């Protein structure tokens, strides 16, 4: 119980905590970078309900799967080499260095997402029917890239892929691809956020 499930539990909790901080840094730091292009006006590039849905719908499943089902080593390996339990005692999975490593990675990736997206929209912002992409279109692109980056990171740090991992990571992408057009059509019918959806 201690050598196997105790070791798994410590590693899972550490990974779930680090990933939760990371995924929020990736999205919300893009809002920080945006203030340098909007003269610190306080304008958001992502509509408020969509921004809120990030942690509620689109990235909620990976931390649960990482925190419940991930196994960095097999039970036989942990039983055969009981010294591996000391990894937890030595704070190998969760320490200040690991935390800041994940945080800096999130800062860097948010900057890459924002700079790449804003440069793409700077030179290719003409849409079909002669429309021009505005800052809301930029926001949707940045938001989508942030979701894909966060879920991609979850896929990379998962030690073991199970059916739950397949539901959580590709399933979260599917949830975004299905719910956003539905929300857009509801908002269009209600007359709200027409500018946001470019309608």
């Amino acid at each position: 119980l201690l050598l196997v499930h105790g070791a798994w539990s410590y590693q899972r909790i550490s990974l779930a905590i680090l990933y939760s901080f990371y995924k929020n840094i990736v999205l919300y730091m893009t809002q920080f970078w945006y203030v340098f292009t909007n003269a610190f006006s306080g304008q958001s590039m992502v509509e408020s309900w969509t921004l809120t849905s990030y942690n509620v719908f689109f990235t909620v499943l990976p931390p649960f799967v990482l925190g419940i089902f991930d196994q960095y080593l097999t039970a036989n390996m942990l039983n055969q080499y009981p010294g591996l339990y000391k990894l937890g005692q030595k704070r190998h999975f969760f320490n200040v260095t690991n935390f800041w490593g994940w945080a800096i990675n999130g800062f860097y990736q948010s900057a890459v997402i924002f700079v790449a997206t804003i440069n793409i929209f700077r030179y290719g912002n003409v849409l079909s029917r002669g429309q021009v992409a505005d800052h809301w279109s930029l926001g949707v692109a940045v938001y989508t890239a942030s979701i894909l980056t966060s879920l991609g990171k979850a896929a990379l740090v998962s030690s073991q892929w199970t059916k739950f991992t397949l539901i959580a990571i590709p399933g979260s992408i599917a949830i975004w691809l299905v719910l956003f057009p539905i929300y857009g059509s509801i908002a269009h019918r209600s007359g709200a956020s027409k500018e946001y959806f470019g309608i």
Side-chain angles (χ1 to χ4, degrees):
L1 186 63
L2 181 65
L3 296 178
V4 176
H5 294 282
W8 280 345
S9 179
Y10 179 74
Q11 185 267 343
R12 288 169 177 168
I13 291 170
S14 300
L15 188 57
I17 291 169
L18 292 170
Y19 177 74
S20 295
F21 276 102
Y22 161 83
K23 74 184 179 75
N24 285 295
I25 290 170
V26 167
L27 176 67
Y28 294 107
M29 281 304 294
T30 59
Q31 293 283 91
F32 172 75
W33 306 126
Y34 183 61
V35 302
F36 293 102
T37 63
N38 69 10
F40 299 90
S41 68
Q43 172 68 45
S44 176
M45 69 176 153
V46 180
E47 188 266 339
S48 62
W49 282 102
T50 308
L51 200 60
T52 305
S53 298
Y54 182 76
N55 281 315
V56 177
F57 297 115
F58 308 128
T59 60
V60 71
L61 295 177
F64 281 109
V65 170
L66 292 173
I68 296 171
F69 300 108
D70 198 55
Q71 296 178 6
Y72 72 105
L73 292 172
T74 64
N76 289 337
M77 180 74 76
L78 290 169
N79 273 324
Q80 189 174 356
Y81 299 100
L84 290 169
Y85 184 75
K86 290 184 179 179
L87 291 174
Q89 293 175 325
K90 293 178 180 177
R91 298 185 303 166
H92 176 75
F93 300 111
F94 193 85
N95 54 50
V96 174
T97 305
N98 283 354
F99 174 80
W100 282 109
W102 280 75
I104 290 168
N105 193 9
F107 292 141
Y108 170 73
Q109 290 179 2
S110 69
V112 169
I113 288 168
F114 181 75
V115 170
T117 308
I118 204 163
N119 281 309
I120 289 169
F121 274 80
R122 177 175 292 154
Y123 301 110
N125 63 347
V126 179
L127 305 175
S128 62
R129 295 180 288 175
Q131 295 173 323
V132 177
D134 57 4
H135 78 284
W136 293 121
S137 302
L138 171 71
V140 171
V142 167
Y143 189 82
T144 303
S146 298
I147 288 175
L148 294 175
T149 301
S150 297
L151 295 174
K153 180 73 166 184
L156 290 173
V157 299
S158 294
S159 302
Q160 179 184 31
W161 275 71
T162 65
K163 61 184 176 184
F164 302 107
T165 315
L166 290 172
I167 292 168
I169 297 172
S172 295
I173 296 170
I175 291 170
W176 165 243
L177 295 175
V178 169
L179 286 184
F180 184 71
I182 293 170
Y183 176 60
S185 66
I186 292 169
H188 176 64
R189 286 189 189 129
S190 68
S193 303
K194 285 186 178 179
E195 288 182 9
Y196 175 63
F197 298 102
I199 301 170

